Amino acid sequence: MAVQFNNDWDEVIGGEFEKPYYLALREFLKAEYGTYTVYPPMNDIFNAFRATPYADVKAVILGQDPYHNPGQAHGMCFSVRKGVPPPPSLLNIYKEIDAEFPGAAKCDPADGCLEDWARQGVLLLNTVLTVRANAPMSHRGQGWERFTDAVIQKLNEREKPVVFLLWGSPARAKAGLITGERHFILQAAHPSPLSAMSGFFHCGHFKRANQIIAEHALGEPVDWLKRG
């Protein structure tokens, strides 16, 4: 049975699920989920698409692959479910938001759920959508990159501009797919503690994204302090 998003992504990207590469990926995932612990749970893999319809996308945050520790990944890049402590990468994201909006309320370091960003039109996407427990990038090269290439290409076809926030080398490698001059590309290092000091901190992406959204009448700016 094909994946169902129950919104306009079904028409936009649903055809990918019948292509040979995705059928091979599906068989790989069946074996992985049947043999190992894999994140996120199978029913959560496509939560980012269900939460943010294609027509509503204002911005895309593109990361690498899901969190690989228990109870963290739930199908939206950098987000964890309510009650789960924010991982280090997300805490660094919060630090950057706090720095970009001085005088505003501070990010709550105990709340790592970013679903409200998704409801505001931020597609929280990784380049690879699954991972084996405790093995980062373990599902690289199995077909997810081709699927997320297709997603980026479909967003690139839109007449309405999109702001792409590309963090880390796998995400930045997607920049070549964004050829429409109406779109905006913001690139930075990954917010991981291993790389945040190399260009994520002081990137200004959150403030700049909101400036673009306002200048091009893309809807309400994103309330980056809103959670849940």
Side-chain angles (χ1 to χ4, degrees):
M1 181 180 293
V3 174
Q4 293 292 315
F5 303 120
N6 298 317
N7 60 32
D8 53 0
W9 281 112
D10 287 325
E11 181 176 353
V12 171
I13 206 70
E16 294 298 307
F17 299 119
E18 303 303 323
K19 294 183 177 180
Y21 86 88
Y22 189 85
L23 297 177
L25 171 60
R26 187 172 67 181
E27 292 305 309
F28 167 78
L29 292 174
K30 285 180 182 178
E32 286 286 293
Y33 276 94
T35 307
Y36 304 100
T37 299
V38 175
Y39 302 123
M42 193 177 295
N43 290 336
D44 289 343
I45 293 173
F46 297 103
N47 278 349
F49 298 92
R50 296 186 178 106
T52 311
Y54 176 78
D56 293 348
V57 175
K58 300 174 186 174
V60 178
I61 292 179
L62 191 59
Q64 295 181 176
D65 66 339
Y67 295 126
H68 54 85
N69 291 326
Q72 294 181 332
H74 68 118
M76 298 183 185
C77 74
F78 299 107
S79 179
V80 293
R81 291 199 181 278
K82 280 187 172 295
V84 177
S89 293
L90 183 52
L91 290 176
N92 283 339
I93 290 171
Y94 287 178
K95 289 177 183 177
E96 176 61 23
I97 293 171
D98 289 343
E100 290 186 29
F101 298 96
K106 296 294 185 182
C107 292
D108 182 354
D111 187 354
C113 184
L114 305 180
E115 289 182 358
D116 199 274
W117 291 7
R119 288 191 288 269
Q120 294 181 73
V122 181
L123 182 66
L124 298 170
L125 183 66
N126 280 309
T127 59
V128 173
L129 301 190
T130 55
V131 66
R132 194 184 294 180
N134 304 313
M137 298 304 289
S138 51
H139 285 185
R140 177 173 49 189
Q142 298 294 334
W144 279 130
E145 293 91 342
R146 183 167 173 182
F147 178 81
T148 52
D149 279 357
V151 171
I152 298 298
Q153 289 165 340
K154 289 297 184 181
L155 289 165
N156 181 60
E157 293 172 4
R158 278 190 16 175
E159 290 300 318
K160 190 174 182 179
V162 177
V163 185
F164 292 89
L165 291 75
L166 311 182
W167 298 342
S169 297
R172 297 172 77 173
K174 302 283 194 184
L177 301 173
I178 307 163
T179 58
E181 294 183 358
R182 58 197 171 279
H183 301 305
F184 298 86
I185 303 173
L186 308 179
Q187 300 188 53
H190 194 275
S192 161
L194 298 175
S195 56
M197 295 295 293
S198 300
F200 179 76
F201 288 138
H202 312 297
C203 68
H205 282 188
F206 301 97
K207 189 172 184 179
R208 179 59 183 143
N210 276 354
Q211 289 173 340
I212 293 168
I213 289 168
E215 289 168 2
H216 294 268
L218 303 181
E220 291 294 319
V222 178
D223 183 350
W224 298 110
L225 294 167
K226 200 169 184 181
R227 302 285 185 272

